């Protein structure tokens, strides 16, 4: 297999020349050269041109595009074009269109209009992938395969008849007998016992809650079914072009596909991410997505496959990125392990559904802010080869699990929750405290991390419980938060007080959930949504939070202590005096349990406590970051400092800034400013020559 990366970061974007007359293509490659573009993704949405009618292929135009790019020294990530089936497919095979839970068959005329289980779609997609591999597998420009595009983005669940029978096959392979399924799904409740697999349907619209385990299995099946589409195409490409790496673009922390099961199947993890510039917390959310990508690839470099240069057009209001923000967010990706920065798309469309989505080359041409920022970034990246391949170092891990996500967001639970919000809250708190965070499904060795956070691991497997326990024993500071260890993989409650096997790790067990919202709960002043301006809260008192009380949000529960120290208690309401925060020494480490949710400041206080306990030293390389928007990440020998805040800060760190060549200490970092600080190294051979002026920066890999 050829290496995915070269000695300079990949830089470029989706290139869709089919939207333009050929006369424009020469200008494209000329401008690509000026911008430093070295990789483009071609053909993502070109199926209807590549195969205008079933079995008739027209590759002439694509030959010309690839040859032109090759002559210009631009490499190609060639798409298999299967994400947007052409009109003829659904015309000839109407059953290939997806169906929603309430039985509506979606119409063509957009994109992703296919049922992942449709044999007609699968056959046609496989045929096209084969044709492309046969024709372009040895084209010198092609360095990577881009299978499909953003699997599940628009259609991640299909409820049609084809999907129903694929679901049955998946269930039969999983459970083997209908009796085993009945036990797993708890079908004795509400008279749901099945006599055969033939009787089973996807969880279509039902009168009341659908069976929870049926729904979770359908979530798992739907993720696997999309993966099966990917694997079918991958097998064809591997057979014909074993040396060309394959990828498909993930979508950050996307809900509907379990990326832990996908990641081992891609040769390089790649990501599409569109943080909202109108959101002051955008950089916090994107930090988590990038950490997830690195973690999915087990620390290996990944590829930012798509981002916008400025505004998108998918939101009700699409705010442009602030001057410098695209650059700052690009460096965030590089800091967190990306070895390439690409965009959707190269030239802004003049027609079609995304013509108001920004691009590298805007409608107004090259005398524009966006173009200048693109050219600047391209030129800078070309000098940063020394950063590539290096590992980003994390000091903490947050457990992030799709089964728990799907299950805790079902109906019929003690309270509605957003799993992503719960996990992102802890990721952001650790990041703001200056740590870099990995993510993990939680069923692997976690013991190397000084800090391990387990937010609401609702569905907990034995392997996860064992890994969490082992981390604490081995010396980690572990914090488990409420609604962890409630059910097993089949959503059967772990009886005997909640928390399952973690009861012995934490020294506590949970008797009863007490979500806030009852008459006694104190309405706090923490806005959640415009519709509900307050959330119910309860006071929490304990030394960890100092002399003031902390505020517990949305959730409380009755915690019984067997063998742990109570570090904070609830105050006010029915649970006054009951534990809200506990700590137990466990082996060489500690195991904390938090029985409520905390706001930002209280969380920061608890995190500071955990950091102190873990013995980690957190570096603060800037002065003046009162607002806490400066991001610091160590990648190999390079320290990335990125100011996402509105005001300037000053660097207080020795070393050389790789972007300016200047001394880092004392440098001002304006809003959206970036420094990449490398330790100064004096080259021996030049020691005597000129002294300080001749210092060079070297970054060991
Ligand atoms: C992605 C997609 C691109 C483009 C982009 C716009 O979802 O892969 O084709 O639609 O978003 O932000």
């Amino acid at each position: 297999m050829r290496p995915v990366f070269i000695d300079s970061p990949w830089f470029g974007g989706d290139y869709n020349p089919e939207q333009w007359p050929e006369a424009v293509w020469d200008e494209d490659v000329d401008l690509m050269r000026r911008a430093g573009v070295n990789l483009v993704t071609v053909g993502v949405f070109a199926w209807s041109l590549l195969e205008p009618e079933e079995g008739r292929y027209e590759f002439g135009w694509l030959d010309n595009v690839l040859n032109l790019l090759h002559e210009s020294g631009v490499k190609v990530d060639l798409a298999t074009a299967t994400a947007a089936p052409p009109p003829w497919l659904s015309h000839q095979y109407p059953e290939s269109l997806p169906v929603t839970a309430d039985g509506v068959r979606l119409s063509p005329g957009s994109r992703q209009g296919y049922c992942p289980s449709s044999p007609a779609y699968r056959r046609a997609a496989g045929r096209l992938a084969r044709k492309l591999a046969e024709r372009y597998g040895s084209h010198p420009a092609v360095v990577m395969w881009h299978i499909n595009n953003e699997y599940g983005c628009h259609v991640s669940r299909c409820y049609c008849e084809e999907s129903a029978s694929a679901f049955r096959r998946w269930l039969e392979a999983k459970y083997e007998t209908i009796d085993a399924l009945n036990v797993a799904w708890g079908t004795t409740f509400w008279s749901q016992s099945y006599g055969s697999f033939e009787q089973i349907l996807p969880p279509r619209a039902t009168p009341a809650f659908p069976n929870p385990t049926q729904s979770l299995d359908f979530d798992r099946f739907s993720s696997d079914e999309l993966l099966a589409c990917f694997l079918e195409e991958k097998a064809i490409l591997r057979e014909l072009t074993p040396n060309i790496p394959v990828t498909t673009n993930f979508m950050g922390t996307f809900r509907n596909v379990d990326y832990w099961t996908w990641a081992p199947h891609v040769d390089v993890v790649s990501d599409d991410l569109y943080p909202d510039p109108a959101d002051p917390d955008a950089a916090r959310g994107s930090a988590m997505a990038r950490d997830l990508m690195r973690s999915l690839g087990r620390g290996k470099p990944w590829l930012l496959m798509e981002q916008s240069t400025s505004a998108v057009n998918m939101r009700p209001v699409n705010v442009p990125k602030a001057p410098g923000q695209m650059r700052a967010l690009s460096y965030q990706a590089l800091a967190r392990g990306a070895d390439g920065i690409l965009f959707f798309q190269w030239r802004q469309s003049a027609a079609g559904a995304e013509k108001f989505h920004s691009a590298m080359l805007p409608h107004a041409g090259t005398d524009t802010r966006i173009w200048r920022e693109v050219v600047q970034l391209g030129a800078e990246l070309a000098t940063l080869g020394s950063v590539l391949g290096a590992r980003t170092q994390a000091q903490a891990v947050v457990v992030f699990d799709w089964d728990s996500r799907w299950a805790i967001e079902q109906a019929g639970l003690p309270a509605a929750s957003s799993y992503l919000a719960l996990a992102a809250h802890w990721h952001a708190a650790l990041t703001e405290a200056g740590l870099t965070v990995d993510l993990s499904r939680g069923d692997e060795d976690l013991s190397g991390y000084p800090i391990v956070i387990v937010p609401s691991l609702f569905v907990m497997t034995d392997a996860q419980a064992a890994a969490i326990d082992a981390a604490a024993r081995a010396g980690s500071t572990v914090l488990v938060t409420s609604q962890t260890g409630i059910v097993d993989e089949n959503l059967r409650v772990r009886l005997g007080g909640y928390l399952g096997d973690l009861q012995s790790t934490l020294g506590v067990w949970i008797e009863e959930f007490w979500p806030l919202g009852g008459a006694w709960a104190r309405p706090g002043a923490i806005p959640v949504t415009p519709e509900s301006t307050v959330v119910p809260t309860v006071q929490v008192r304990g030394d960890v939070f100092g002399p003031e009380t902390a505020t517990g949000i949305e959730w409380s529960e009755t915690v019984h202590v067997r063998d742990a120290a109570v570090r904070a208690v609830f105050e006010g309401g029915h649970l006054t005096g009951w534990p809200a925060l506990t700590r137990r020494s466990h082996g060489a480490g500690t195991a904390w349990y938090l029985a409520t949710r905390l706001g930002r400041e209280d969380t920061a206080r608890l995190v500071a406590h955990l950091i102190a306990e873990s013995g980690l030293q957190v570096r603060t390389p800037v002065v003046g970051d009162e607002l806490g928007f400066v991001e610091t990440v160590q990648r190999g020998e390079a320290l990335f400092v990125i100011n996402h805040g509105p005001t300037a800060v000053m660097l207080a760190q020795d070393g050389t800034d790789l972007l300016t060549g200047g001394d880092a200490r004392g440098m001002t970092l304006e809003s959206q400013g970036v420094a990449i600080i490398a330790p100064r190294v004096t080259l021996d051979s030049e020691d005597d020559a000129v002294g300080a002026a001749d210092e060079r920066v070297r970054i060991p890999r």
Side-chain angles (χ1 to χ4, degrees):
M1 172 96 44
R2 291 189 217 140
V4 173
F5 294 103
I6 51 172
D7 52 5
S8 152
W10 287 123
F11 182 64
D14 277 29
Y15 180 40
N16 300 310
E18 65 275 20
Q19 297 178 21
W20 301 92
E22 281 203 39
V24 175
W25 301 357
D26 286 331
E27 188 193 50
D28 281 334
V29 290
D30 183 43
L31 290 175
M32 283 179 193
R33 214 176 293 127
R34 279 170 51 191
V37 166
N38 55 14
L39 181 70
V40 290
T41 302
V42 177
V44 175
F45 298 116
W47 191 346
S48 67
L49 293 183
L50 292 170
E51 191 182 3
E53 54 185 311
E54 185 165 14
R56 182 168 69 78
Y57 296 93
E58 285 192 2
F59 289 122
W61 68 272
L62 189 54
D63 292 352
N64 294 342
V65 170
L66 295 195
N67 293 341
L68 182 64
L69 289 166
H70 177 57
E71 284 156 21
S72 313
V74 177
K75 297 296 183 193
V76 172
D77 164 40
L78 187 58
T80 59
T82 54
W88 61 255
L89 188 87
S90 53
H91 188 72
Q92 270 161 249
Y93 308 97
E95 75 284 2
S96 68
L97 288 166
V99 172
T100 62
D102 43 8
V104 176
R105 194 175 285 281
L106 300 179
S107 295
S110 179
R111 66 175 175 184
Q112 257 196 30
Y114 63 89
C115 157
S117 303
S118 158
Y121 167 75
R122 294 261 190 111
R123 259 194 325 270
R127 227 170 31 218
L128 180 59
R130 180 170 293 280
K131 287 283 174 199
L132 286 163
E134 284 167 356
R135 192 166 185 100
Y136 300 112
S138 52
H139 194 288
V142 176
V143 295
M144 206 181 311
W145 288 113
H146 182 101
I147 297 184
N148 197 280
N149 194 64
E150 293 190 342
Y151 276 103
C153 175
H154 306 293
V155 177
S156 48
R157 308 275 181 273
C158 174
Y159 297 79
C160 75
E161 281 309 311
E162 307 274 25
S163 298
S165 51
F167 184 40
R168 284 179 209 119
R169 287 194 298 275
W170 185 92
L171 291 169
E172 215 164 337
K174 175 171 178 176
Y175 292 107
E176 293 178 8
T177 68
I178 197 68
D179 290 346
L181 177 142
N182 279 318
V183 172
W185 286 15
T187 53
T188 45
F189 193 69
W190 280 3
S191 175
Q192 291 171 357
S193 299
Y194 290 98
S196 73
F197 284 97
E198 286 317 299
Q199 297 169 358
I200 296 177
L201 291 169
R204 293 177 179 155
T206 45
F209 303 143
N211 180 293
T213 317
Q214 175 189 13
S215 295
L216 179 61
D217 269 343
F218 191 66
D219 289 330
R220 292 164 169 154
F221 155 78
S222 298
S223 177
D224 284 359
E225 197 66 351
L226 286 165
L227 179 59
C229 291
F230 169 84
L231 290 175
E232 270 183 34
E233 290 192 34
K234 179 183 168 185
I236 294 165
L237 300 175
R238 268 288 196 277
E239 173 199 329
L240 297 172
T241 61
N243 292 327
I244 303 184
V246 304
T247 191
T248 186
N249 36 358
F250 296 163
M251 293 169 281
T253 53
F254 181 64
R255 179 183 187 279
N256 287 352
V257 170
D258 179 351
Y259 287 141
W260 296 120
T261 62
W262 280 64
H265 300 289
V266 294
D267 296 320
V268 57
V269 168
S270 53
D271 190 35
D272 295 356
L273 203 72
Y274 293 92
D276 184 356
D279 174 4
D281 282 341
R284 291 178 170 87
S286 53
M288 176 169 171
R290 315 215 197 272
D291 287 347
L292 176 63
M293 293 306 130
R294 183 184 65 253
S295 304
L296 288 168
R298 313 239 149 243
K300 281 195 302 196
W302 55 278
L303 187 56
L304 179 60
M305 185 64 88
E306 283 184 26
Q307 63 170 342
S308 66
T309 51
S310 188
V312 298
N313 75 329
M314 63 183 85
R315 304 190 171 104
V317 176
N318 297 290
V319 174
K321 285 184 174 160
Q325 194 173 17
M326 175 276 279
R327 176 174 176 266
L329 288 170
S330 300
Y331 282 117
Q332 179 186 62
L334 204 72
R336 293 177 187 272
D339 272 1
I341 306 291
L342 287 85
F343 297 84
F344 176 84
Q345 60 180 328
W346 161 250
R347 186 186 278 272
Q348 188 169 12
S349 302
E354 292 189 306
K355 54 183 172 292
F356 296 113
H357 189 292
S358 60
M360 299 172 82
L361 181 57
H363 286 153
T366 53
D367 187 12
T368 52
R369 169 183 81 94
I370 290 178
W371 174 256
R372 283 186 283 276
E373 290 193 17
V374 164
V375 172
Q376 181 194 345
L377 182 63
E380 286 177 359
L381 288 175
T383 68
L384 291 175
S386 58
V387 175
L388 300 186
R391 297 271 165 156
T392 300
Q393 295 145 25
Q395 303 81 37
V397 65
V398 169
V399 172
F400 187 69
D401 171 59
W402 264 269
D403 271 2
S404 287
R405 184 175 190 177
W406 291 327
I408 208 173
E409 294 181 358
Q410 290 187 351
L413 298 180
S417 303
S418 156
Y419 180 80
L420 179 59
L422 295 173
H425 176 79
W426 288 99
H427 181 278
L430 295 167
T431 304
E432 278 163 34
L435 304 184
T436 300
V437 184
D438 280 344
L439 290 114
S440 165
R441 181 158 56 190
D443 53 2
E444 59 194 333
D445 182 11
L446 303 171
S447 62
Y449 294 101
I451 295 185
V452 177
I453 309 277
V454 186
S456 304
L457 187 64
F458 184 73
V459 180
M460 187 177 71
T461 62
D462 294 345
Q464 286 167 321
I468 293 162
D469 182 81
R473 273 181 203 282
S476 302
T477 294
V478 175
L479 172 74
V480 174
T481 79
S482 55
Q483 288 205 284
T484 291
I486 310 301
V487 293
D488 68 11
E489 319 60 325
N490 292 326
L491 303 189
R492 296 184 75 90
V493 169
R494 292 186 175 277
L495 301 174
Y498 305 115
L499 276 176
D501 286 353
L502 288 185
Q503 287 184 3
S504 55
T505 311
L506 297 159
V508 300
W509 62 277
I510 313 305
E511 179 188 342
E512 189 176 4
F513 304 131
W514 217 302
L516 303 179
W520 61 270
R522 197 182 72 97
I526 298 162
V528 260
T529 64
E531 299 82 55
S532 95
T533 49
V534 290
V535 281
T537 62
V538 63
Q539 297 309 107
V540 172
R541 186 177 293 282
D543 65 322
V544 169
F545 303 107
E548 305 294 316
T549 52
T551 304
I553 301 170
E554 295 171 336
W555 188 267
S556 62
E557 55 193 14
T558 323
V559 179
H560 290 267
V561 172
R562 270 200 197 115
D563 173 20
V566 176
R567 298 299 300 268
V569 294
F570 291 112
E571 207 173 83
H574 299 298
L575 293 182
T576 296
W578 283 83
L581 178 69
T582 61
R583 175 187 181 277
R584 176 167 185 267
S585 297
H586 189 50
T590 54
W592 293 73
Y593 183 70
L594 177 64
T596 184
R597 300 171 187 166
L598 298 172
R600 217 145 151 168
E601 284 174 21
D602 295 329
T603 306
R605 283 191 267 175
L606 176 53
V607 163
H609 210 86
L610 301 179
I611 290 175
E613 180 177 281
S614 73
L616 280 169
Q617 302 291 329
V618 180
R619 186 157 39 166
T620 42
V622 294
V623 179
D625 180 28
E626 276 84 25
L627 299 171
F629 277 106
V630 176
E631 172 174 3
T632 312
V633 179
Q634 185 78 43
R635 181 171 183 194
E637 291 290 308
L639 180 72
F640 285 70
V641 185
I642 308 172
N643 183 7
H644 299 288
T647 53
V649 296
M650 201 179 76
L651 289 180
Q653 174 75 35
D654 286 326
T656 300
D657 173 29
L658 292 180
L659 292 169
T660 59
D663 271 340
R665 185 174 283 280
M667 232 177 93
T668 301
L669 220 50
E670 302 293 342
S671 169
Q672 308 297 344
V674 179
I676 307 177
I677 306 170
R680 278 192 167 276
V681 178
T682 305
L683 299 182
D684 292 346
S685 56
E686 300 180 11
D687 261 1
D688 304 331
V690 256
D694 212 6
E695 282 181 343
R696 298 279 189 279
V697 176
R698 258 193 333 222
I699 299 193
R701 287 284 173 99

